[in-house]
Amino acid sequence: MIEPLGVIVGVDGDIATVGMYQMSNNADFLWDGDILIGPKVGAYMTILQNDIKIIATVVSEKIMDQQNTVKSKEFDNRYSDNSINRIILLKTQGVIENGSFTLTSKYVPMVGNEVTITTTRDLNSIYSITDNEPTICIGESVREGKKINLPINSLFASHIGIFGNTGSGKSNTLHKLYLELFRSEYHKSILAKSKFFVIDFNGEYTQPNQFGVGTTEKKIFHINTRQPSDKIPVTKKYLFDADILSILFDAKPATQIPFLRNALRTYKAINSSKDFARLECGLLESLFRDFNVIEVRSIEDWIQNSLNMGIKSHFLSSILNSLGSTYYDKLQIFDKSTNELIFDDRQFTHYGQERFDQLKESMASAYDKLSELRKLKAFLEFQKIFVTAWKNTNVDFINPLFKRIESSVNSLEPIINIVYSLNGCFKGLNIISLVDANQDVKRLIPMIVSKMVYDEQKLKVTKENKVASTCHLIIDEAHNILSSYNGKSSDSWQDYRLSVFEEIIKEGRKFGFFLTLCSQRPADISPTIMSQLHNFFIHRLVNENDLRMLQNTVPTLDISTYRLVSSLGKGEAIITGNAIKSPLLLKIYKERSIRPRSDDVILTDLWQL
């Protein structure tokens, strides 16, 4: 049995005061061939209570003078030989019972219990995982230098937060975590049964063999808003939803949102280009017949919309000429090339009907050539005429919406590919690089992708009534889209964005959807989202707001471990959460060849001639 170093002389809650038998403050002890960590702050100590070993960590140490306190040169014996005793404070972490470490409050320290150094065997019990449990190793304990295994199931089937200042090693930790997962014996099954989506704002994870995954199982989407780039597959059903479009177009609730909702109901009933042409040409015919009660400019707007679609027709120019020569309530339209009468007395002539049918064919052909977004925009333009021509709606309330529609379509069309199904669109690992995207796209794409893949996963699990596959969303620099305040976003966008991610982090686990967030500013992330994370990898943080956020939202981070956060070295991290029995101080291994593009710049190497 290892030699006792002290005895408990006081207990206050889970803090025990230990009087050391000797003043020795050796950092290490040699015992039974092993080098054991001495009783210093952060180290494990063992409290002996019958056959039970209570494991505690040192939270502070001090000395107590046993002689006198007389401030006299003649009688002062303070801090002399044999006058002081060493005192340490221990915080209970758990117990070792029957050779296994467990978290329990069944046993508490008692005055008179002796304290010893924690042996290697006991440390193995503290750091060990349940027998036969699958694990990965990403680093070693800082103080003992022992390789630490992390449980695959309880870690990756959870929401994970990785936080740390720039240069602290958080990107390396994120990469190492998933690199070791993909290196595990489950590699092929992982990428066959699960999908991983990495939102990469800085282009750190786009290098060959990133995450140890080859091109056959990985797909990288380089989104570039300055030149032609890859396109993100987005389902038509998801994108053409009234709520989504209201957010994308920043529609106002009074008139614009109702307009969009009503228009989309009609649009979804259009099954072909012929349906579209029949509907819109029918609108034109109604405008002709009600010429005396409508806004005349509605016909001009109808023609302009047709021209914008790429339709070329003598019929359209004939209409414009006829409008210019009409001074009465009765509309007459002549073919300007033949001077034949096309429309008269509220109906088409035989000749006019032929020209009108040709217009329908031209419109159907032009509609077919448009992208899905342009088709929607064209329909909305005609729908605006439908609701305003008869003065049912004030056009001035609708017009501002169309400027935002044009802007959104211009932003989205080069970077998204609208599909009917996501089957075959994504691989096991999908990395979406936004380093070359503008701010609007950086705001939109993560939101669109996250909501879409979450809804797909949720629908799949609900339909099968079981979790047969999982989806893992990894967001680097998560504060860019998950802050509770964004001055560039409208209130409706901000509310929708937060509600989506709050639903994902609250409900996603039951549908096999898991979130990993990496950020240098945890204080900027919504407190609701932070509070729902299950496991944390905490690197060095010094900002008071960030530290306060951790203190308020990480329930498994005790005060002694919390105090270490601001003094952690590069690559060192505190790991705590549901997957870990007790907070661990780890040194994360750094990969030499496969790692993120986030290394520090060595200026002197750069400046060498």
Side-chain angles (χ1 to χ4, degrees):
M1 180 178 176
I2 197 166
E3 182 179 351
L5 297 181
V7 63
I8 292 180
V9 296
V11 178
D12 184 5
D14 59 353
I15 301 296
T17 303
V18 180
M20 303 298 288
Y21 289 146
Q22 298 179 7
M23 184 51 206
S24 171
N25 63 342
N26 293 336
D28 303 298
F29 287 83
L30 180 63
W31 180 265
D32 198 22
D34 293 323
I35 297 177
L36 304 179
I37 301 299
K40 56 187 177 183
V41 173
Y44 284 106
M45 301 292 288
T46 300
I47 302 170
L48 304 176
Q49 190 175 101
N50 299 327
D51 294 332
I52 301 300
K53 296 178 180 179
I54 301 175
I55 302 300
T57 51
V58 180
V59 294
S60 69
E61 59 175 315
K62 59 183 177 180
I63 58 172
M64 180 178 66
D65 198 305
Q66 298 182 100
Q67 296 293 333
N68 60 69
T69 57
V70 178
K71 296 180 180 180
S72 166
K73 291 182 180 180
E74 184 178 356
F75 298 106
D76 189 1
N77 293 313
R78 293 176 302 152
Y79 306 114
S80 59
D81 291 342
N82 302 319
S83 75
I84 58 176
N85 192 22
R86 187 179 180 202
I87 302 295
I88 64 174
L89 298 183
L90 301 179
K91 183 182 185 302
T92 304
Q93 299 291 346
V95 301
I96 294 179
E97 187 175 15
N98 299 323
S100 177
F101 178 74
T102 57
L103 300 177
T104 177
S105 56
K106 181 178 179 181
Y107 303 99
V108 296
M110 300 174 64
V111 172
N113 291 160
E114 290 189 306
V115 177
T116 69
I117 295 175
T118 302
T119 64
T120 299
R121 182 176 180 181
D122 290 341
L123 284 173
N124 289 337
S125 297
I126 296 169
Y127 291 138
S128 69
I129 309 298
T130 306
D131 292 341
N132 301 321
E133 184 173 0
T135 62
I136 58 170
C137 177
I138 65 169
E140 60 186 34
S141 60
V142 171
R143 294 190 175 93
E144 296 87 6
K146 297 180 65 63
K147 289 186 177 180
I148 304 299
N149 293 321
L150 300 176
I152 290 177
N153 289 314
S154 53
L155 183 60
F156 292 100
S158 74
H159 302 309
I160 302 171
I162 303 173
F163 305 111
N165 290 149
T166 299
S168 63
K170 66 182 184 302
S171 295
N172 177 67
T173 297
L174 170 62
H175 182 260
K176 183 66 174 175
L177 193 63
Y178 284 92
L179 174 65
E180 293 302 325
L181 175 65
F182 295 136
R183 281 176 172 173
S184 72
E185 60 183 296
Y186 306 98
H187 168 77
K188 290 185 178 179
S189 297
I190 288 173
L191 294 173
K193 293 290 184 69
S194 300
K195 281 190 168 50
F196 297 79
F197 295 85
V198 181
I199 306 296
D200 182 8
F201 283 96
N202 297 326
E204 295 182 25
Y205 306 97
T206 57
Q207 301 174 88
N209 296 318
Q210 203 81 74
F211 295 101
V213 178
T215 55
T216 58
E217 297 167 313
K218 178 177 67 177
K219 192 166 187 177
I220 300 176
F221 297 89
H222 293 276
I223 306 302
N224 192 325
T225 51
R226 292 183 288 273
Q227 60 186 36
S229 68
D230 298 330
K231 292 188 176 185
I232 298 290
V234 179
T235 60
K236 183 177 180 180
K237 180 181 178 182
Y238 167 72
L239 187 62
F240 290 176
D241 175 81
D243 291 331
I244 295 294
L245 291 180
S246 295
I247 297 297
L248 292 179
F249 300 155
D250 191 19
K252 305 309 176 186
T255 55
Q256 295 174 3
I257 290 180
F259 166 75
L260 275 178
R261 290 190 182 279
N262 294 330
L264 283 172
R265 277 195 289 270
T266 305
Y267 182 70
K268 290 177 181 179
I270 297 175
N271 298 315
S272 67
S273 57
K274 289 184 178 179
D275 287 346
F276 174 81
R278 191 180 305 114
L279 179 68
E280 304 311 345
C281 286
L283 171 61
L284 179 62
E285 188 173 1
S286 297
L287 294 174
F288 287 166
R289 288 174 179 167
D290 291 347
F291 179 76
N292 59 332
V293 295
I294 65 165
E295 291 276 359
V296 176
R297 67 178 182 183
S298 297
I299 298 178
E300 297 173 346
D301 290 342
W302 194 102
I303 294 172
Q304 186 60 53
N305 291 345
S306 300
L307 295 175
N308 291 340
M309 288 177 60
I311 299 174
K312 296 178 180 179
S313 169
H314 290 300
F315 183 65
L316 296 180
S317 56
S318 297
I319 296 172
L320 288 176
N321 287 339
S322 298
L323 288 176
S325 61
T326 299
Y327 299 98
Y328 304 102
D329 290 343
K330 184 179 178 181
L331 176 65
Q332 288 184 323
I333 300 175
F334 291 88
D335 187 330
K336 68 174 185 177
S337 60
T338 64
N339 207 31
E340 289 274 355
L341 188 63
I342 294 175
F343 187 88
D344 185 32
D345 195 21
R346 299 172 63 85
Q347 62 183 352
F348 284 104
T349 65
H350 178 73
Y351 176 82
Q353 189 64 50
E354 290 179 352
R355 303 286 82 77
F356 190 62
D357 290 341
Q358 290 173 1
L359 176 63
K360 287 182 185 178
E361 293 177 3
S362 298
M363 176 166 279
S365 176
Y367 184 78
D368 267 336
K369 295 176 183 178
L370 297 177
S371 67
E372 291 293 338
L373 280 171
R374 292 291 171 186
K375 286 179 180 178
L376 174 64
K377 180 179 179 295
F379 171 79
L380 293 175
E381 293 280 6
F382 284 114
Q383 196 68 7
K384 179 179 70 170
I385 296 172
F386 174 73
V387 300
T388 60
W390 285 269
K391 304 174 186 177
N392 296 326
T393 302
N394 190 333
V395 70
D396 293 334
F397 295 155
I398 303 294
N399 277 335
L401 172 66
F402 282 82
K403 295 179 181 178
R404 297 192 292 273
I405 290 176
E406 178 67 25
S407 176
S408 295
V409 169
N410 289 339
S411 296
L412 290 175
E413 193 172 31
I415 60 169
I416 68 171
N417 178 31
I418 298 178
V419 297
Y420 288 91
S421 170
L422 291 180
N423 291 337
C425 292
F426 295 110
K427 294 187 177 181
L429 175 61
N430 305 277
I431 299 172
I432 301 171
S433 173
L434 300 172
V435 66
D436 294 315
N438 60 35
Q439 289 302 315
D440 286 339
V441 169
K442 286 182 177 180
R443 177 174 64 96
L444 289 174
I445 289 298
M447 178 71 262
I448 291 173
V449 172
S450 301
K451 174 65 172 170
M452 179 180 65
V453 297
Y454 171 69
D455 285 346
E456 287 279 326
Q457 178 67 16
K458 183 177 178 179
L459 180 63
K460 186 187 302 182
V461 172
T462 303
K463 186 179 296 185
E464 297 176 354
N465 203 26
K466 63 178 181 179
V467 179
S469 61
T470 62
C471 189
H472 303 257
L473 177 62
I474 304 160
I475 306 178
D476 194 17
E477 305 297 342
H479 53 272
N480 286 321
I481 58 170
L482 296 184
S483 65
S484 54
Y485 172 76
N486 188 339
K488 295 183 179 180
S489 300
S490 67
D491 290 341
S492 58
W493 167 259
Q494 179 179 319
D495 292 344
Y496 182 79
R497 169 174 49 86
L498 290 179
S499 67
V500 165
F501 280 99
E502 286 173 5
E503 179 188 354
I504 288 175
I505 207 161
K506 288 176 182 177
E507 307 295 335
R509 196 174 185 181
K510 69 178 74 170
F511 300 113
F513 194 96
F514 306 104
L515 196 60
T516 296
L517 307 180
C518 184
S519 175
Q520 57 186 283
R521 292 305 311 273
D524 286 350
I525 297 176
S526 163
T528 302
I529 293 174
M530 284 288 294
S531 65
Q532 296 295 321
L533 296 174
H534 304 118
N535 292 291
F536 297 83
F537 292 74
I538 304 170
H539 289 268
R540 185 171 186 262
L541 289 167
V542 296
N543 183 276
E544 289 186 7
N545 292 331
D546 295 329
L547 293 171
R548 193 179 303 113
M549 171 63 80
L550 292 180
Q551 190 176 29
N552 294 335
T553 58
V554 185
T556 54
L557 188 65
D558 58 57
I559 188 64
S560 59
T561 310
Y562 167 77
R563 289 171 178 165
L564 297 174
V565 174
S566 59
S567 59
L568 293 173
K570 186 173 183 177
E572 295 178 353
I574 294 168
I575 305 178
T576 183
N578 298 346
I580 311 298
K581 294 178 180 178
S582 178
L584 302 177
L585 180 57
L586 231 62
K587 175 69 175 179
I588 311 297
Y589 295 139
K590 185 173 182 177
E591 289 291 318
R592 294 189 176 274
S593 57
I594 306 175
R595 62 174 185 265
R597 192 185 288 112
S598 60
D599 290 348
D600 294 337
V601 176
I602 309 300
L603 290 176
T604 51
D605 290 347
L606 182 67
W607 293 335
Q608 280 184 342
L609 296 178

